[in-house]
Amino acid sequence: RQLWCSGAVLLVLNRVLDGDLAQDQAIRLAAGLGDGIGSAGCICGGLNGGALALGLFLGNGRLSPGGDQTVLKATRWLHDQFKEDLGSACCRVLLKKDGNGTKSQLHAWTERTAKAAELCAAAILQHRPELIQRVDWDYLNHQDGTVKARLNIIADKIKR
C-alpha cells in the first residue's frame, strides 16, 4: 500500500499485533503526520506512527497531567534509538540524504519506516510480551517482508 510512513507504521502494528483499531481509523489517525507532521519536515512520520502505536498498545486509557509514564518512557526510547540508529529524527534532515526522486530515496524511506516499526514493536513487546502470541504472521507473509523479518528477530529474543 502507498501510505505515508506514519500510517504504514500504525496500520501494520495495529494489524500485526491485533490492535483494536479498524483499518480506516488507523489510516485516518495518522493522516496528518506524514512528511514530518503536515509536510512541515519535522519529526519523521515513522516515529509519529510509532508514538501512536505505543499509545494504542501501552496506554492506560486515562488522561492525566503527568501523562502515562509507560508510554512516555517507551516513546522517548523510540525517539532516542531511532535518532541514534539513523542520525536524526527530523524528516527534513533525513530526506536531504536520500536524493530526490530516485530508487535510493524510496529504499531509504522504506528502510526508515521498517526501522520505526521494528523499534516500536520491540518497545511494545518488551512491555507486553504476551502479544507475540497474537502476531498475524499470515498478514506479514503477504504484505511486508521487511517488517516480518525484523519482527521474527524480536520474537526470537522474547521466546528465549
Side-chain angles (χ1 to χ4, degrees):
R1 298 179 52 97
Q2 298 298 316
L3 296 172
W4 287 107
C5 303
S6 54
V9 170
L10 180 59
L11 184 70
V12 167
L13 291 175
N14 179 61
R15 173 72 187 264
V16 167
L17 296 175
D18 195 24
D20 56 4
L21 288 176
Q23 180 174 319
D24 67 310
Q25 287 176 314
I27 292 169
R28 288 192 327 256
L29 277 171
L33 302 176
D35 202 19
I37 300 180
S39 295
C42 293
I43 297 294
C44 170
L47 284 177
N48 285 317
L52 290 173
L54 288 170
L56 176 65
F57 288 101
L58 302 181
N60 63 18
R62 295 184 306 268
L63 294 176
S64 62
D68 183 330
Q69 290 302 307
T70 300
V71 175
L72 289 174
K73 288 177 183 176
T75 304
R76 178 62 182 258
W77 176 86
L78 172 65
H79 171 273
D80 292 349
Q81 194 61 52
F82 185 91
K83 187 175 178 180
E84 181 180 318
D85 291 354
L86 298 174
S88 182
C90 177
C91 185
R92 187 181 308 115
V93 171
L94 293 166
L95 289 174
K96 284 182 183 177
K97 301 180 201 177
D98 296 343
N100 195 10
T102 65
K103 273 188 172 181
S104 66
Q105 182 182 42
L106 182 57
H107 178 74
W109 291 347
T110 301
E111 283 299 310
R112 274 196 297 277
T113 302
K115 180 54 123 176
E118 172 192 0
L119 292 171
C120 188
I124 292 167
L125 294 171
Q126 177 185 358
H127 292 279
R128 298 205 39 213
E130 76 278 5
L131 289 177
I132 200 68
Q133 304 304 319
R134 293 170 35 185
V135 169
D136 187 345
W137 296 107
D138 290 335
Y139 173 77
L140 283 176
N141 286 331
H142 291 98
Q143 299 295 323
D144 196 325
T146 305
V147 173
K148 176 186 177 279
R150 292 176 182 192
L151 201 56
N152 267 323
I153 293 167
I154 296 165
D156 288 343
K157 288 179 184 177
I158 288 172
K159 290 177 185 176
R160 286 186 204 155

